[in-house]
Amino acid sequence: MGKTFTAAHWGVYEVKAGETGLRLEGFAQDPDPSPIGLHMAAKDLTDVRIRRPSIRKSWLEKGPGANPHLRGREPFVEVDWDTALDLLAAELDRVRREHGNESIFGGSYGWASAGRFHHAQSQVHRFLNLIGGYVSSVDNYSLAAGRVILPHAIGSTEFLLDRHTSFDVMAKHTELFVTFGGVPVKNAQMSAGGAGRHRVVAGMLEMEKNGTRFINIGPVSDNMPVDSEWIAARPNTDVAMMLGLAYVLHIEELAQLDFLNSHCVGYDRFAAYLTGEADGIAKTPEWAAAICGIDADRIASLAREMASSRTMLNISWSLQRAVHGEQPFWMLVTLAAMLGQIGLPGGGFGVGYGALNSVGHDNVRFKSGAFPQGENPVKAFIPVARITDMLLNPGEAFTYNGKEHRYTDIRLVYWAGGNPFHHHQDLNRLLKAWQKPETIIVNEPYWTPTAKLADIVLPVTTPLERNDIASSGGEDLIVAMHKVSEPYAQARNDFDIFCGLALRMGVNFSENLDEEGWLRRLYGVTSANAREKGVEMPSFDQFWQDGLFDLQPQALPVVMLQDFRESPEESPVPTPSGKIEIFSEMVDSFGLDDCPGHPTWFEPPEWLGNRESEDQFHLISDQPVRRLHSQLDASPHSKAGKVKGREPVLISPTDAKHCDLSEGDLVEIHNERGRLISAVVISDAIMSGVVRLSTGAWFDMDFDRSLERHGNPNALTLDVPSSSLSQGCSAQTCLVRVRKVDEDYAASVQAFEHPEFAA
Ligand SMILES: Nc1nc2c(c(=O)[nH]1)N[C@H]1C(S)=C(S)[C@@H](COP(=O)(O)OP(=O)(O)OC[C@H]3O[C@@H](n4cnc5c(=O)[nH]c(N)nc54)[C@H](O)[C@@H]3O)O[C@H]1N2
Ligand SMILES: Nc1nc2c(c(=O)[nH]1)N[C@H]1C(S)=C(S)[C@@H](COP(=O)(O)OP(=O)(O)OC[C@H]3O[C@@H](n4cnc5c(=O)[nH]c(N)nc54)[C@H](O)[C@@H]3O)O[C@H]1N2
Ligand SMILES: [Mo]
């Protein structure tokens, strides 16, 4: 028997028997393993597991829809599995008969865990499809504005992410690397489906060693793993900064007109906007400076440096998680097109170096086998971040990518593998909308805030308690995730839960295959796809015994869009014209005020340019260093990052002084949408006027005082669409105030406590 491995989105770990239980070690060949996974078997996590199926008291006693305002505030009753599944099957049947499948929301967004078979989204979607369908969700929180705009401008995010210029190529050729939002290697701990060897830090260091110069534009400076010049631009103003750069390129005849003519369409229309011919406002460096807070001279000199070097531009995904989030992505592509280096080794642009481990990795890419979801007979959907709007406004129209759709009337919500009371914006607004459905079902391993706010909670296994296969496109390891412990208490696999429901509802969910049967089938699909790309995988039995399949880090010299550069006719980009669309006839034809036909600067509804006084700050809520979103927040590693039990807020020395704050002070951060408690960390890695509170602290509401006690930024964020084109999330557009509070006022944190149970 070889070694035993497990895998998570944050990497591969070897599982060993320790003195007091399981012990996890980073994969020995991973140069930079993530510490997040070392704690997956920690007692702190077992302490917050769900033991048995649990039903909210009023729902059990009085039926669906009873006392919805008591969700999260009244006890649960623990029941046995047969009782829970009988009740749930009957309720699903009632709702679909009385209200139709369009009243079931099964979008169920979330990352769940890495294994491709016990993948909660696929499991719940397949089940709901079999019983007549569900209202689904499109896009994701990561990239919504970006996913919708890029196909109009140059090609889908999948198309681009599959062919990002590799770090090896950049190390050889890139002279200047300019990034909006850093290369946050904390984020490169992850890849959806399981990161392999962590190589982004090494890739960046290799570039630095070979002489690449780095410039980081944005509100924080601690998001670069190498020495870099920090240009501290105000949040949400990157488009203005890029327009200022573009203006200099245009006026000083540094824009590569040959490339713009041969490979792009619509530069003229954009240039008329740039010079002010179209709207009377020239987007000069002085104009940009007044918006983004950077000296006009530096903007002009940077434009010249970019034009005279082999320059790679990069952008973080967070920039498009904002109102008008399409614009920074579209404008970045435009700026890169003006520099004319797209398709040259080490030049051009990237959308998200650092966002995931896989971006810029140079492995053979093939699709892994996925648990089939089937067909959804229901066509109604929402853009994922419109959940509160949907619940509050049944029947109301919304536009998405140029078409009109309507919200349906949702009576039942089924969630498996996500934590909306972590991920959605303006959680106080979601709390109100959450009272609308008659029944809310959550499959979860842990008593997360979402589980606590449900009617029917079903306990689920963790990856250590089941067999699975981890696999992620572009990564170098495919992992046999062996079951290494028995399920906790009465926890079951999502698969077995849906098999139980399917039996009661007369549909064939399993296709008469068990866990092993499915793993063999999915592995077969993966190895067939691999073979097409020239990769020979071992038999399933051999793989299962070996514990993993190692593709070995390869050095494929990927240059994004090299073929397109060589011949736009033979290798067009997937846009309507086959060229880069700086002006899009299609987007223009939608006639949207908030997303016209070319990249445009819009003033955000909340930003430093419209704050009332210096007591207001722009809140950045970025991805957390010590966990994936809200996952494993109760682990020792995550808890070690808290200050006085709170997710800390980063504030500049100037602002701390202005607000009379010292290191470790408890503060209330507030705006008209909500209030939360956090603790102060003072740092000069954040610019004055901006505060940063990372996401993922389990939402811990003191309902009596409307006070979030743990530091979940979504108690404050803005829940409006990025635009009527994409309807994406706008988490990074948010103003707040900060005030010191005394320690008595701040009630204790209860995030990790079990709910109450009644007999
Ligand atoms: N303010 C602000 N908000 C944000 C963001 C931001 O930048 N700022 N970022 C957004 C982004 S990009 C994202 S992707 C979202 C992430 O939001 P989510 O993906 O919803 O967050 P997770 O914490 O990963 O939630 C996954 C849940 O699945 C559970 N789970 C794990 N394995 C299983 C399983 O096998 N079965 C079941 N049934 N459950 C399982 C975990 O316990 C966890 O509760 O957050 C978004 N929210
Ligand atoms: N450790 C860890 N890694 C993760 C995740 C996690 O939860 N934890 N989540 C994963 C997921 S689902 C996703 S989608 C990716 C997300 O990846 P990103 O969206 O790129 O991640 P963020 O950390 O939110 O933001 C990146 C940087 O952008 C900066 N920034 C914010 N607003 C602005 C702005 O207006 N202008 C500029 N110039 N900079 C700005 C932030 O300060 C931060 O340093 O990360 C993935 N990786
Ligand atoms: Mo994400």
Side-chain angles (χ1 to χ4, degrees):
M1 189 66 200
K3 293 176 173 175
T4 305
F5 296 102
T6 193
H9 301 297
W10 41 92
V12 177
Y13 298 83
E14 195 182 332
V15 187
K16 295 186 169 170
E19 272 168 28
T20 53
L22 296 173
R23 195 160 53 81
L24 288 128
E25 284 176 13
F27 178 51
Q29 292 177 45
D30 185 343
D32 187 18
S34 164
I36 293 175
L38 302 177
H39 300 259
M40 287 190 288
K43 177 177 178 303
D44 304 56
L45 292 172
T46 316
D47 287 347
V48 290
R49 291 291 294 275
I50 300 167
R51 291 179 299 243
R52 303 178 62 195
S54 301
I55 301 184
R56 184 170 66 87
K57 192 160 179 288
S58 297
W59 195 99
L60 185 65
E61 289 172 356
K62 303 195 180 104
N67 296 329
H69 62 288
L70 293 182
R71 287 194 178 112
R73 311 179 72 165
E74 70 173 320
F76 283 93
V77 180
E78 293 186 321
V79 298
D80 60 50
W81 271 106
D82 279 340
T83 307
L85 295 178
D86 288 348
L87 277 170
L88 179 46
E91 173 61 357
L92 284 161
D93 193 45
R94 176 192 77 84
V95 172
R96 71 174 170 173
R97 272 187 295 106
E98 285 179 12
H99 305 288
N101 284 69
E102 289 205 339
S103 67
I104 299 176
F105 181 64
S108 183
Y109 178 81
W111 269 56
S113 46
R116 295 299 87 186
F117 171 57
H118 295 289
H119 178 247
Q121 302 313 308
S122 309
Q123 296 278 344
V124 67
H125 292 162
R126 175 184 172 85
F127 169 71
L128 292 174
N129 283 337
L130 283 171
I131 64 159
Y134 63 96
V135 175
S136 59
S137 59
V138 297
D139 298 329
N140 51 37
Y141 281 80
S142 321
L143 285 159
R147 280 173 67 90
V148 179
I149 195 65
L150 286 174
H152 295 293
I154 185 162
S156 69
T157 42
E158 287 81 7
F159 170 81
L160 294 171
L161 288 172
D162 271 357
R163 41 177 62 65
H164 264 47
T165 298
S166 51
F167 280 104
D168 299 337
V169 171
M170 291 195 288
K172 285 201 192 82
H173 300 279
T174 305
E175 292 166 325
L176 181 63
F177 185 97
V178 180
T179 177
F180 295 84
V183 179
V185 290
K186 66 175 170 71
N187 295 355
Q189 291 175 97
M190 309 295 163
S191 271
R197 291 175 181 80
H198 290 88
R199 294 196 284 158
V200 174
V201 174
M204 292 289 286
L205 290 175
E206 188 67 14
M207 289 172 70
E208 183 178 50
K209 200 177 94 197
N210 285 9
T212 308
R213 189 158 67 86
F214 297 92
I215 297 181
N216 180 21
I217 300 166
V220 308
S221 66
D222 61 359
N223 54 4
M224 286 296 273
V226 290
D227 276 344
S228 51
E229 177 188 342
W230 178 27
I231 298 187
R234 292 161 152 187
N236 289 198
T237 68
D238 302 83
V239 171
M241 171 101 183
M242 289 186 224
L243 284 167
L245 294 165
Y247 183 89
V248 177
L249 297 179
H250 183 80
I251 292 297
E252 300 187 5
E253 295 181 2
L254 298 169
Q256 299 299 305
L257 292 178
D258 288 352
F259 185 83
L260 290 166
N261 288 329
S262 56
H263 288 74
C264 308
V265 296
Y267 181 65
D268 292 358
R269 295 285 295 269
F270 171 74
Y273 168 74
L274 195 58
T275 56
E277 194 190 314
D279 64 350
I281 301 166
K283 312 302 175 297
T284 61
E286 291 72 22
W287 169 86
I291 294 168
C292 65
I294 305 304
D295 274 354
D297 286 350
R298 184 66 192 105
I299 296 174
S301 61
L302 179 58
R304 292 173 203 129
E305 287 163 33
M306 288 178 3
S308 61
S309 315
R310 179 59 56 86
T311 302
M312 179 63 82
L313 305 179
N314 181 51
I315 193 162
S316 276
W317 295 355
S318 59
L319 274 78
Q320 52 80 63
R321 245 178 271 122
V323 179
H324 302 115
E326 296 82 3
Q327 305 308 321
F329 268 41
W330 201 357
M331 188 56 216
L332 186 91
V333 172
T334 302
L335 192 58
M338 292 174 75
L339 290 170
Q341 300 183 23
I342 292 172
L344 290 179
F349 72 98
V351 282
Y353 285 110
L356 296 172
N357 185 48
S358 52
V359 184
H361 263 186
D362 41 3
N363 269 90
V364 183
R365 283 168 193 262
F366 49 86
K367 262 196 158 25
S368 24
F371 189 53
Q373 303 188 7
E375 279 293 310
N376 188 350
V378 171
K379 295 301 159 221
F381 70 92
I382 57 165
V384 68
R386 300 278 54 81
I387 175 160
T388 304
D389 289 353
M390 169 187 70
L391 294 176
L392 290 177
N393 308 310
E396 196 170 282
F398 65 92
T399 57
Y400 172 73
N401 209 7
K403 293 206 174 76
E404 193 173 293
H405 306 271
R406 258 169 221 291
Y407 297 123
T408 60
D409 190 358
I410 297 299
R411 306 295 175 119
L412 182 147
V413 171
Y414 202 140
W415 223 291
N419 188 358
F421 280 91
H422 146 69
H423 68 229
H424 194 59
Q425 287 57 62
D426 197 350
L427 289 176
N428 290 304
R429 185 166 177 256
L430 180 60
L431 270 179
K432 289 195 193 94
W434 204 246
Q435 295 187 21
K436 171 78 206 333
E438 290 154 22
T439 298
I440 297 173
I441 307 140
V442 171
N443 290 10
E444 252 293 339
Y446 302 103
W447 276 116
T448 62
T450 302
K452 286 180 184 165
L453 281 156
D455 297 319
I456 301 179
V457 182
L458 302 178
V460 174
T461 51
T462 66
L464 298 172
E465 300 164 352
R466 59 201 188 204
N467 295 301
D468 214 333
I469 300 171
S471 167
S472 176
E475 294 291 347
D476 53 15
L477 299 169
I478 295 177
V479 183
M481 302 167 66
H482 285 242
K483 173 175 172 178
V484 288
S485 61
E486 287 308 313
Y488 172 77
Q490 293 192 11
R492 287 190 182 173
N493 299 330
D494 290 294
F495 176 72
D496 296 308
I497 293 172
F498 292 120
C499 285
L501 287 172
L503 196 69
R504 285 165 174 80
M505 298 184 76
V507 292
N508 184 351
F509 181 75
S510 68
E511 291 182 27
N512 310 320
L513 291 178
D514 59 6
E515 181 187 70
E516 184 182 331
W518 274 107
L519 292 183
R520 286 179 182 275
R521 186 188 281 188
L522 299 190
Y523 185 83
V525 174
T526 308
S527 45
N529 292 344
R531 185 167 305 134
E532 271 180 29
K533 292 288 171 77
V535 176
E536 206 53 50
M537 290 176 65
S539 70
F540 176 81
D541 292 300
Q542 188 65 49
F543 164 70
W544 199 254
Q545 201 189 329
D546 294 347
L548 50 78
F549 176 63
D550 191 344
L551 283 118
Q552 300 293 341
Q554 293 161 40
L556 306 177
V558 184
V559 176
M560 182 159 85
L561 298 177
Q562 190 169 33
D563 51 349
F564 167 69
R565 183 181 187 89
E566 280 161 11
S567 172
E569 285 73 33
E570 271 170 45
S571 308
V573 289
T575 59
S577 62
K579 295 188 175 180
I580 297 171
E581 303 212 351
I582 295 173
F583 183 89
S584 161
E585 296 285 354
M586 175 89 84
V587 173
D588 186 58
S589 75
F590 298 156
L592 306 172
D593 290 344
D594 54 3
C595 193
H598 59 71
T600 304
W601 158 254
F602 289 93
E603 189 177 321
E606 296 185 20
W607 68 301
L608 290 177
N610 70 356
R611 65 173 169 172
E612 284 160 13
S613 72
E614 289 191 6
D615 297 335
Q616 273 184 309
F617 301 98
H618 196 121
L619 174 75
I620 293 297
S621 48
D622 70 336
Q623 311 289 352
V625 182
R626 290 171 173 271
R627 52 183 181 266
L628 173 68
H629 317 128
S630 70
Q631 294 197 41
L632 312 191
D633 188 29
S635 73
H637 184 62
S638 177
K639 282 179 180 165
K642 314 239 171 193
V643 176
K644 294 186 177 150
R646 267 69 183 199
E647 194 62 29
V649 62
L650 206 68
I651 187 165
S652 74
T654 320
D655 293 337
K657 200 163 169 226
H658 176 77
C659 297
D660 192 23
L661 297 174
S662 310
E663 189 79 10
D665 278 351
L666 285 182
V667 285
E668 183 185 286
I669 310 182
H670 58 108
N671 61 20
E672 65 277 18
R673 293 180 287 276
R675 310 189 291 151
L676 61 79
I677 301 292
S678 174
V680 169
V681 168
I682 300 172
S683 164
D684 51 20
I686 189 154
M687 66 183 278
S688 172
V690 183
V691 293
R692 179 177 78 198
L693 178 58
S694 298
T695 60
W698 280 12
F699 185 64
D700 181 18
M701 202 62 184
D702 178 340
F703 289 100
D704 297 331
R705 288 198 286 182
S706 297
L707 180 69
E708 201 283 321
R709 292 173 280 212
H710 193 192
N712 182 314
N714 282 324
L716 304 167
T717 49
L718 183 62
D719 181 19
V720 302
S722 43
S723 79
S724 50
L725 181 83
S726 65
Q727 302 281 351
C729 106
S730 299
Q732 310 301 346
T733 301
C734 178
L735 287 179
V736 297
R737 293 174 194 273
V738 182
R739 70 179 184 92
K740 190 158 151 175
V741 292
D742 58 52
E743 314 237 335
D744 292 342
Y745 167 82
S748 64
V749 185
Q750 292 175 14
F752 302 136
E753 286 180 10
H754 280 229
E756 280 179 43
F757 297 96

